[in-house]
């Protein structure tokens, strides 16, 4: 663990690095600062809380981005990085307090064995792996340097680290030759073993020191015995939990055992060697079980990740891009949940995921490009068809095709933003062309309609002038029909025509009225003449002839036009008088003769009378 001054300096360096680059991955920052990516991420989280940088997580290493100085900051960036450093140091100190030096030492040995396995299994180290190992070893050396007191073992650890560091730096920068690689590998493995041996020595030294401190306050012999009894009981319980696979509870119980163990005076260790051996043995077993559990967890999640990668490839091959992306998201989530360590296997997994992602992007590009090409072909065909329709002035069909084209343009992905914009611009021009031709046709249709309408109005006016009422009415009705068929708009042009039609309508009504008066006068005079003739026939006793005239009078009266109430009333009275006179004459005649005559009864004449009265004026 780095001391407070070192952390503050490194945090400032990290902030300056992000500020200088604008954007940098955590892995790259860790390589430059020669520290562990997890440590960099921890520092970055504190800097992000102070709104100095942002962290963007993706499939590969998270990216750190400089956000600049906002106007809302009430203190300089320097003081903010100092505050971040204080919080980081506080966090590091509290996290170290949670573990005993022996537990931390065992964790370090596990890390060194993991690194040892990577180096053993690799034919030649790549620069990325060498840099990652260097970051791990930097963290270990910092911890050793700050936690353990100066001793021969500590010096040997740091010396071995420096040797490994020089070798791995050559690997990381590619300066080491193939011939020297084998020697460098053996040298590294030898020094890793040396570090493990000396760390075990440091743990023993720290343990002895702790026991010496405990002996200063020796409790009674009885107290030591009670503690041993409780420890023995807890060990049995912990072993049972470990056998059942509940390692988390077993580990919690082991913490209690460690606390009790710290309370045991050194004098009682000699009397309870068996219990002490049990503690050490259980400590070893628990560490092995935790390692085994981590490996089992890694193997299980690795298998799931491989299945998801396979699914993503399968979906991509069938063109189901969204399903493939979903499988990769799930794989990434599992990858982020993998237990610590297993650097080589993690690197291989990440490489497979990245290759699958690249293949998926290529497939997505090919599918979208093909889809765009097909859509573009359809749109080109629509353009040709619209041109053909416009040449034939089939505007409605052209507009329908334009609507279809706009819907197709909307389906084009924004990945083809420039092409989509270009095509939309082309169809906007086509829309303007359709509007221009449509307006032209509209005007032509109106002009033709107005020409026909004016011709029809001329016919109306000629008919009016020649008193040809029937032709005037017929022509007027045709003119009204032509007016209704005129296209919309052109209000200023339509109003004069409407006024002209209204004027002609008024003149036609005058003609109709004149004809009506003329016809009524003719019929009226004829009926009057017939009434006189009938009366003359009655006077001559020519009743049958008088009756025939009477019937003709009734027929003509029934055909009289509406209106003229005064004159009709006068006629009706004369007709009724004629009827009464006829009846009186018939009453004087033999009844047999009367019965053979077609004489209207009184009710019949009343009905005729009523019909005439009820006619509309």
């Amino acid at each position: 663990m780095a001391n407070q001054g070192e952390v503050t300096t490194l945090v400032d360096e990290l902030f300056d690095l992000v500020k200088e680059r604008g954007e940098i991955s955590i892995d790259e920052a860790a390589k430059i600062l020669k520290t562990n990516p997890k440590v960099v991420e921890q520092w970055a989280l504190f800097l992000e809380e102070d709104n100095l940088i942002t962290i963007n997580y993706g499939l590969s290493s998270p990216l750190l981005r400089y956000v600049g100085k906002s106007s809302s900051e009430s203190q300089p960036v320097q003081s903010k990085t100092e505050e971040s450093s204080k919080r980081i140091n506080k966090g590091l100190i509290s996290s170290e307090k949670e573990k005993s030096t022996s537990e931390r030492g065992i964790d370090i040995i596990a890390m060194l064995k993991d690194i040892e396995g990577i180096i053993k299994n690799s034919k030649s180290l790549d620069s990325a792996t060498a840099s990652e190992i260097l970051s791990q070893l930097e963290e270990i050396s910092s911890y050793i340097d700050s936690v353990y007191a100066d001793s021969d073992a500590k010096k040997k650890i740091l010396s071995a680290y420096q040797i490994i560091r020089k070798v791995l730096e050559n690997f990381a920068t590619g300066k080491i030759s193939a011939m020297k690689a084998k020697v460098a590998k053996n040298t590294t493995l030898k020094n890793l073993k040396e570090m493990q041996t000396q760390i075990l020595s440091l743990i023993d030294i720290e343990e002895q020191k702790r026991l010496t401190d405990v002996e200063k306050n020796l409790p009674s012999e009885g107290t030591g015995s009670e503690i041993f009894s409780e420890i023995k009981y807890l060990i049995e319980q912990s072993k049972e939990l470990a056998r059942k696979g509940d390692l988390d509870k077993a580990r919690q119980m082991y913490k209690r055992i460690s606390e009790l163990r710290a309370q045991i005076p050194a004098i009682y260790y000699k009397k309870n060697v068996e219990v002490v051996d049990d503690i050490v043995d259980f400590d070893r077993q628990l560490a092995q079980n935790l390692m085994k559990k981590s490996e089992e967890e890694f193997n299980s999640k690795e298998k799931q990740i491989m299945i998801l990668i396979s699914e993503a490839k399968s979906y991509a091959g069938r063109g189901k891009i969204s399903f493939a992306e979903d499988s990769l998201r799930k794989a990434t989530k599992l990858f982020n949940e993998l237990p610590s360590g297993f650097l080589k296997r993690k690197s291989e997994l990440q490489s497979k995921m990245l290759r699958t992602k690249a293949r998926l992007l290529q497939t997505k590009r090919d599918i979208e490009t093909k889809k765009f090409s097909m859509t573009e072909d359809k749109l080109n065909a629509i353009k040709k068809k619209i041109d053909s329709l416009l040449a034939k002035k089939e505007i409605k069909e052209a507009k329908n095709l334009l609507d279809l084209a706009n819907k197709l343009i909307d389906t084009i992905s924004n990945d083809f933003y420039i092409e989509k914009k270009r095509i939309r611009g082309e169809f906007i021009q086509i829309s303007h062309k359709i509007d221009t031709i449509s307006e032209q046709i509209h005007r032509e249709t109106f002009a033709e309609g107005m020409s026909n309408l004016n011709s029809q109005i001329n016919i109306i006016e000629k008919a009016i002038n020649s008193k040809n009422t029937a032709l005037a009415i017929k022509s007027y009705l045709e003119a009204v029909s032509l007016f209704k068929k005129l296209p919309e708009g052109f209000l200023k042009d339509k109003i004069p025509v409407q006024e002209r039609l209204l004027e002609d309508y008024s003149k036609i009504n005058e003609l109709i009225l004149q004809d009506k008066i003329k016809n009524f006068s003719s019929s009226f005079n004829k009926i009057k003449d017939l009434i006189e003739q009938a009366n003359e026939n009655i006077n001559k006793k020519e009743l049958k002839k008088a009756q025939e005239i009477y019937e003709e009078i009734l027929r003509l009266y029934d055909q009289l036009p509406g209106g003229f109430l005064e004159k009709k009333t006068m006629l009706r009275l004369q007709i009724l008088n004629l009827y009464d006179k006829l009846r009186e004459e018939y009453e004087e005649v033999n009844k047999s003769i009367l019965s053979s005559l077609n004489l209207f009864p009184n009710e019949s004449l009343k009905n005729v009378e009523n019909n005439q009265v009820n006619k509309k004026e």
Side-chain angles (χ1 to χ4, degrees):
M1 183 177 71
N3 60 45
Q4 185 170 345
E6 287 174 340
V7 169
T8 302
T9 303
L10 288 170
V11 171
D12 288 337
E13 286 181 12
L14 174 62
F15 176 73
D16 291 340
L17 182 62
V18 177
K19 184 177 179 182
E20 179 186 346
R21 294 282 187 92
E23 180 180 281
I24 188 171
S25 70
I26 283 180
D27 287 348
E28 190 178 353
K31 288 175 189 176
I32 294 170
L33 297 175
K34 296 179 181 179
T35 187
N36 192 301
K38 291 182 179 178
V39 175
V40 172
E41 186 174 4
Q42 186 180 13
W43 295 343
L45 287 169
F46 284 100
L47 290 171
E48 185 180 43
E49 285 180 16
D50 290 330
N51 200 29
L52 296 173
I53 66 170
T54 60
I55 305 174
N56 295 289
Y57 293 91
L59 185 63
S60 57
S61 176
L63 291 174
L64 308 180
R65 288 189 180 134
Y66 175 65
V67 297
K69 184 177 178 182
S70 65
S71 59
S72 61
E73 287 179 342
S74 59
Q75 51 185 320
V77 172
Q78 175 97 26
S79 67
K80 284 203 169 188
T81 56
E82 288 174 3
E83 286 182 11
S84 300
S85 302
K86 288 176 184 177
R87 297 212 314 280
I88 291 168
N89 279 302
K90 184 178 178 182
L92 290 172
I93 292 164
S94 62
S95 65
E96 290 302 331
K97 284 182 178 177
E98 290 176 2
K99 284 189 175 184
S100 66
T101 53
S102 59
E103 284 183 293
R104 178 64 171 158
I106 291 168
D107 287 345
I108 290 171
I109 289 170
M111 288 173 67
L112 290 173
K113 284 183 177 179
D114 197 11
I115 293 168
E116 185 181 344
I118 292 169
I119 294 172
K120 276 183 180 179
N121 295 326
S122 63
K123 291 181 181 179
S124 62
L125 289 174
D126 56 68
S127 60
T129 307
S131 298
E132 179 66 23
I133 292 170
L134 273 173
S135 297
Q136 297 276 359
L137 290 172
E138 174 66 26
E139 184 183 359
I140 291 169
S141 66
S142 297
Y143 176 81
I144 297 294
D145 192 31
S146 58
V147 171
Y148 293 103
D150 289 337
S151 63
D152 188 51
K154 178 177 175 180
K155 289 176 182 177
K156 287 179 180 179
I157 291 168
L158 297 177
S159 175
Y161 162 66
Q162 291 301 329
I163 294 169
I164 295 170
R165 180 177 178 179
K166 287 178 182 177
V167 174
L168 290 178
E169 280 178 348
N170 288 331
F171 268 112
T173 55
K175 291 180 180 178
I176 195 163
S177 65
M179 293 179 64
K180 293 181 180 179
K182 189 173 181 181
V183 177
K185 182 176 177 180
N186 291 333
T187 302
T188 304
L189 290 171
K190 179 182 175 184
N191 282 282
L192 282 170
K193 285 286 185 186
E194 178 66 20
M195 286 183 74
Q196 292 178 46
T197 302
Q198 297 305 326
I199 286 168
L200 288 171
S201 299
L202 284 177
I203 293 171
D204 289 341
I205 291 168
E206 289 295 315
E207 196 65 25
Q208 289 297 325
K209 182 182 176 184
R210 185 181 60 76
L211 292 174
T212 302
D213 291 339
V214 170
E215 286 177 0
K216 292 178 181 178
N217 297 305
L218 285 177
S220 63
E221 187 173 342
T223 304
S225 299
E226 289 171 5
I227 293 172
F228 270 115
S229 298
E230 187 176 352
I231 288 174
K232 194 168 183 179
Y233 171 75
L234 290 173
I235 287 172
E236 292 303 321
Q237 292 296 315
S238 299
K239 284 181 179 180
E240 183 64 26
L241 288 169
R243 276 195 295 272
K244 291 179 179 178
D246 195 347
L247 297 179
D248 290 334
K249 284 188 178 178
R251 196 170 188 176
Q252 289 174 8
M253 199 165 284
Y254 179 74
K255 284 186 74 173
R256 175 59 183 158
I257 292 170
S258 299
E259 290 171 2
L260 290 170
R261 181 184 177 188
Q263 299 173 22
I264 300 172
I267 191 172
Y268 296 123
Y269 271 82
K270 296 172 185 179
K271 295 181 181 180
N272 294 278
V273 174
E274 184 182 345
V275 176
V276 173
D277 288 343
D278 280 347
I279 294 171
V280 174
D281 183 55
F282 179 68
D283 190 359
R284 188 181 300 108
Q285 285 181 17
L286 187 59
Q288 290 171 352
N289 286 335
L290 288 170
M291 185 79 85
K292 184 180 178 183
K293 186 180 179 183
S294 292
E295 189 167 0
E296 287 173 354
E297 182 186 352
F298 187 93
N299 290 338
S300 173
K301 288 183 177 177
E302 182 184 41
K303 185 178 179 181
Q304 293 177 57
I305 289 168
M306 291 303 296
I307 291 170
L308 288 167
I309 290 173
S310 179
E311 280 182 4
K313 288 178 181 177
S314 175
Y315 284 132
R318 288 178 284 159
K320 296 183 176 181
I321 303 302
S322 60
F323 289 95
E325 288 176 336
D326 186 55
S327 294
L328 271 183
R329 275 193 294 271
K330 291 176 181 176
T332 303
K333 185 175 182 296
L334 280 173
F335 183 85
N336 292 332
E337 293 171 357
L338 288 172
S340 59
F342 308 98
L343 298 177
K344 188 71 175 178
R345 290 170 70 183
K346 278 184 180 178
S347 177
E348 290 172 358
L349 262 182
Q350 192 173 46
S351 296
K352 288 176 182 177
M353 289 168 68
L354 290 171
R355 283 197 299 271
T356 305
K357 177 70 173 176
R359 193 178 305 167
L360 176 61
L361 290 172
Q362 185 177 359
T363 304
K364 185 177 180 181
R365 182 200 64 193
D366 293 342
I367 289 171
E368 290 297 330
T369 301
K370 185 177 179 181
K371 185 178 176 183
F372 170 76
S373 180
M374 291 172 66
T375 304
E376 191 174 29
D377 289 343
K378 288 179 183 178
L379 290 168
N380 287 332
I382 288 173
K383 278 196 286 187
K384 291 180 181 178
K385 183 65 177 174
I386 289 175
D387 287 340
S388 173
L389 290 169
L390 290 178
K392 293 183 281 186
K393 295 187 177 180
E394 295 178 6
I395 300 300
K396 185 177 180 181
E397 291 77 3
K399 284 184 175 180
N400 289 338
L401 279 179
L402 181 64
D403 290 340
L404 176 61
N406 285 326
K407 288 176 182 177
L408 280 173
I409 292 168
D410 289 337
T411 65
I412 296 174
S413 170
N414 285 330
D415 292 330
F416 298 92
Y417 176 79
I418 301 298
E419 294 85 347
K420 185 175 182 179
K421 188 176 179 182
R422 170 182 58 78
I423 292 170
R424 196 179 290 282
E426 290 173 0
F427 277 91
I428 287 171
Q429 290 179 0
I430 290 172
S431 176
H432 291 328
K433 186 177 179 181
I434 290 173
D435 289 341
T436 302
I437 295 174
S438 177
E439 183 181 347
Q440 181 184 347
I441 293 171
H442 199 64
R443 289 184 179 279
E444 288 174 357
T445 304
F446 179 77
E448 184 181 353
M450 284 293 287
S451 177
N452 295 334
L453 183 57
N454 285 322
S455 297
Q456 196 66 33
I457 291 173
N458 290 333
I459 294 170
I460 294 169
E461 290 173 350
K462 284 180 182 179
I464 290 170
N465 292 332
S466 61
K467 309 292 184 181
N468 190 342
T469 307
L471 179 60
I473 292 171
K474 181 184 175 183
S475 300
Y476 176 80
L477 293 174
E478 289 179 4
V480 169
S481 176
L482 287 171
F483 184 85
K484 288 179 178 177
K485 291 177 183 177
L486 288 174
E488 293 179 353
F490 309 100
L491 182 63
K492 291 181 179 179
D493 296 315
K494 285 180 179 178
I495 286 176
V497 176
Q498 284 180 301
E499 290 174 345
R500 194 174 170 188
L501 280 171
L502 286 170
E503 186 178 348
D504 289 344
Y505 177 77
S506 177
K507 290 178 180 179
I508 290 169
N509 273 336
E510 288 178 9
L511 281 179
I512 292 170
L513 182 59
Q514 288 173 8
D515 288 345
K516 193 174 181 182
I517 292 170
K518 183 179 178 181
N519 290 335
F520 181 81
S521 297
S522 176
S523 297
F524 180 82
N525 292 330
K526 190 174 182 179
I527 290 170
K528 280 185 70 177
D529 291 341
L530 288 172
I531 291 171
E532 288 179 5
Q533 288 178 26
N535 283 320
E536 287 176 4
N537 285 325
I538 291 170
N539 292 333
K540 294 176 183 180
K541 304 300 182 179
E542 296 176 358
L543 298 181
K544 187 174 182 180
K545 193 173 182 180
Q547 184 178 343
E548 289 174 357
I549 294 170
Y550 176 75
E551 289 176 0
E552 177 65 15
I553 289 168
L554 291 179
R555 186 183 66 77
L556 290 172
Y557 184 88
D558 191 47
Q559 292 176 357
L560 287 173
F564 309 100
L565 182 60
E566 186 178 351
K567 288 188 175 184
K568 280 184 180 180
T569 302
M570 182 183 71
L571 279 177
R572 188 166 59 250
L573 291 172
Q574 290 179 15
I575 292 169
L576 287 170
N577 290 333
L578 178 61
Y579 172 76
D580 290 338
K581 195 172 181 179
L582 265 174
R583 192 172 61 174
E584 286 174 4
E585 290 296 328
Y586 270 111
E587 285 175 357
E588 295 176 2
V589 180
N590 194 310
K591 289 184 179 180
S592 59
I593 298 173
L594 181 63
S595 61
S596 66
L597 293 172
N598 185 17
L599 184 67
F600 286 100
N602 192 41
E603 288 77 8
S604 176
L605 186 60
K606 287 181 179 179
N607 289 335
V608 173
E609 190 179 328
N610 292 333
N611 287 338
Q612 294 299 333
V613 172
N614 292 330
K615 278 189 178 181
K616 291 183 179 178
E617 298 300 326

